[in-house]
């Protein structure tokens, strides 16, 4: 029986309250928190393993590449609907070459649909725009304006004109596109 007293197996012994541990409270919070953190980490590991296994099974049929289905025509090639400013008219300039060639061109400026502020600002700055267009074309040579691939040439000029007008002439609005209605070079 002496061994039982040393081990504290006797339930009848009363304690004065100083050496007993409380269940719960602040001492029970840390083990409970660690238990939930361990459950969360285990769940994350399980999810990652399931995703990796699923991806391996899906890629087993192919060579590891993902095939891309082309988008329908409803989503490709659709251009933004613009309003067009066409009051600039035809402009005549001469090339930088000697002897120079005569260039006649007409552009229209596209801006966001129903953007009255853009239309008003383009109208207010129409003289500056015409002046820039004349100077820009006059700084080009015949070979720059007259080439085999006129579509690529016009796209390059359009982008150059659009960027310059947006950056240096217009302040409150932006144009979205520039199209040539006419571009002819005569020697």
């Amino acid at each position: 029986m002496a061994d039982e007293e040393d081990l504290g197996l006797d339930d009848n012994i009363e304690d004065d309250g100083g050496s007993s541990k409380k269940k719960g409270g602040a001492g029970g919070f840390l083990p409970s928190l660690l238990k939930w953190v361990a459950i969360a980490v285990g769940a994350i590991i399980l999810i990652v393993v399931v995703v990796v296994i699923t991806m391996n099974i899906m890629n087993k049929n192919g060579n590891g590449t993902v095939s891309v289905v082309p988008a329908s025509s409803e989503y490709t090639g659709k251009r933004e609907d613009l309003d067009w400013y066409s009051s600039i008219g035809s402009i005549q300039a001469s090339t930088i070459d000697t002897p120079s060639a005569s260039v006649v061109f007409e552009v229209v400026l596209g801006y966001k649909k129903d953007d009255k502020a853009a239309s008003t600002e383009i109208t207010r700055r129409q003289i500056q725009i015409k002046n820039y267009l004349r100077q820009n074309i006059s700084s080009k040579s015949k070979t720059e304006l007259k080439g085999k691939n006129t579509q690529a040439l016009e796209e390059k000029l359009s982008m150059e004109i659009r960027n310059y007008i947006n950056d240096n002439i217009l302040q409150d609005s932006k144009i979205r596109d520039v199209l040539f209605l006419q571009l002819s070079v005569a020697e």
Side-chain angles (χ1 to χ4, degrees):
M1 281 294 195
D3 292 335
E4 289 180 4
E5 289 179 10
D6 292 336
L7 294 175
L9 297 175
D10 192 11
D11 292 333
N12 295 332
I13 301 175
E14 287 190 26
D15 199 3
D16 54 290
S19 64
S20 70
K21 294 184 180 178
K22 294 182 180 178
K23 296 284 183 181
F29 176 73
L30 187 60
S32 177
L33 177 66
L34 290 175
K35 176 179 79 173
W36 286 108
V37 168
I39 290 172
V41 169
I44 291 172
I45 291 172
L46 178 67
I47 291 170
V48 169
V49 168
V50 168
V51 168
V52 168
I53 291 171
T54 304
M55 292 304 292
N56 286 338
I57 290 172
M58 288 177 59
N59 288 335
K60 198 177 238 183
N61 296 336
N63 57 358
T65 60
V66 177
S67 63
V68 177
V69 179
S72 69
S73 62
E74 180 180 336
Y75 296 107
T76 58
K78 201 170 195 178
R79 294 186 65 148
E80 182 180 13
D81 195 20
L82 301 174
D83 280 339
W84 297 93
Y85 186 85
S86 59
S87 296
I88 292 175
S90 183
I91 300 173
Q92 186 171 357
S94 53
T95 62
I96 198 168
D97 301 317
T98 304
S100 65
S102 178
V103 181
V104 178
F105 63 98
E106 185 176 354
V107 296
V108 291
L109 307 176
Y111 56 92
K112 193 173 179 181
K113 189 124 182 109
D114 299 324
D115 187 358
K116 302 299 179 193
S119 175
T120 303
E121 186 173 12
I122 293 169
T123 302
R124 281 193 343 253
R125 301 193 183 275
Q126 182 176 355
I127 302 300
Q128 293 169 315
I129 293 171
K130 280 185 177 182
N131 187 46
Y132 164 70
L133 291 171
R134 186 177 301 102
Q135 288 175 353
N136 184 354
I137 295 298
S138 294
S139 69
K140 309 281 185 212
S141 67
K142 287 184 275 193
T143 55
E144 287 178 286
L145 297 173
K146 197 175 185 181
K148 294 179 182 176
N149 191 354
T150 56
Q151 182 178 1
L153 167 77
E154 287 182 10
E155 287 177 9
K156 180 183 173 201
L157 277 173
S158 294
M159 187 179 299
E160 182 182 319
I161 290 168
R162 183 195 69 204
N163 291 342
Y164 184 87
I165 291 173
N166 283 338
D167 294 342
N168 300 309
I169 297 176
L170 299 179
Q171 295 174 351
D172 300 327
S173 56
K174 302 288 182 201
I175 58 173
R176 306 276 180 141
D177 201 1
V178 176
L179 295 179
F180 283 89
L181 297 180
Q182 176 188 7
L183 178 61
S184 57
V185 180
E187 295 183 35

